[in-house]
Amino acid sequence: MAIIDGKVSLQHVVTMESLTNEEVLGLIQRGLAFKWGEATAAIDQPVYVSNLFFEDSTRTHKSFEMAELRLGLNMIDFDAKTSSVNKGETLYDTILTMSALGVDICVIRHSEVDYYRELIESPTITASIVNGGDGSGQHPSQSLLDLMTIYEEFGRFEGLKIMIAGDLTHSRVAKSNMQILKRLGAELFFAGPSEWYTAEFEPYGQHVALDDIVEQADVLMFLRVQHERHDGNGHFSKEGYHQLHGLTQERYHRMKESAIIMHPAPVNRDVEIADALVEAPKSRIVRQMQNGVFVRMAILEAVLQARATK
Ligand code: CP
């Protein structure tokens, strides 16, 4: 893990904690350069990438594909629903196989937290692992696109007041963002149902009422209520949640002039954010999706750099 010849070099990208501030800022700069039209470097030998998504995804899966196409990489199709996973093959044996076939980079989303650990420690698997989300663990490429979007807006992290509100317990986005944002000098606040603010969040910021932070925050980051990770017990009122914990028109008008709205998406419209505000002037949700392609190009480039200098 390092910066080599001014370029970030990473064998694997699995957590935000494993990246230095210098590497994070380097990836953001490369993402911005790609966005501003920087040409991709010529690749002197074929590189094979497989996107292995064992959980549903639109943004992460398709923006990795777009990033791979823009970089001129070769994609090896993988569909978990028609693979030998259905015959009981484990994730480890699936990746061992892809690596043996000559796949250089495996982008993986899987429901098991820390699934990547045995893959990156394997002496036999030679493919680089890029984590596209592990259960409620980490989502580093989402975190990097969030950071790129904040940096593009404000040009800094130091001193920004950033609120993260919603389904904290199940959110790999919150867990990926909290440590790095604090490390980069932002001041964090958590909002939403207090039962979802558990001890693991305390070192990074205090829990506050949304109505107490909405006028002060520079960034209001809302999280999706992840019904698929809830046990289904108990009544959930969309309207009740929206009024208590969501971005309503009334709260929108109390935001600072310069403040922005973020959400990793998919958005539950009229739950976390009022339908009409998802594409409102202060919303950066579409920009987050656009930036996802460019920051994922930067991530893949960093992995290629490490593999070229190994
Ligand atoms: N934000 C995000 O990870 O979206 P997908 O689940 O569609 O990839």
Side-chain angles (χ1 to χ4, degrees), residues 53 55-63 109 132 139 141-142 145 172-173 224 263-266 296:
F53 280 66
E55 279 194 328
D56 296 343
S57 169
T58 298
R59 275 145 294 274
T60 311
H61 195 162
K62 295 301 155 191
S63 62
R109 172 172 288 188
H139 195 349
S141 65
Q142 177 71 45
L145 76 87
R172 52 194 173 208
V173 177
R224 184 172 68 88
H263 190 302
R296 288 177 173 117

Side-chain angles (χ1 to χ4, degrees), residues 38 75 86 121 127 137 144 218 221 233 260 273 283 290 304:
E38 175 130 334
M75 257 183 271
N86 293 326
E121 287 170 1
L144 286 162
D218 298 294
M221 185 183 292
N233 293 329
I260 61 170
I273 300 177
S283 171
Q290 292 165 339
L304 294 176

Side-chain angles (χ1 to χ4, degrees), residues 13-18 52-57 60 64 91 106-120 129-143 168-177 200 224 226 228-229 296:
V13 179
V14 292
T15 67
M16 289 306 289
E17 281 88 343
S18 60
L52 301 101
F53 280 66
F54 298 86
E55 279 194 328
D56 296 343
S57 169
T60 311
F64 264 114
L91 175 65
C106 291
V107 178
I108 305 171
R109 172 172 288 188
H110 197 276
S111 59
E112 189 183 322
V113 174
D114 281 356
Y115 73 78
Y116 47 79
R117 193 89 42 206
E118 63 171 353
L119 307 179
I120 64 177
I129 306 301
V130 176
N131 183 8
D134 59 300
S136 55
Q138 287 275 305
H139 195 349
S141 65
Q142 177 71 45
S143 178
L168 297 165
T169 314
H170 299 102
S171 177
R172 52 194 173 208
V173 177
K175 290 166 197 168
S176 302
N177 277 338
E200 68 182 305
R224 184 172 68 88
Q226 299 191 34
E228 73 276 19
R229 297 190 202 280
R296 288 177 173 117

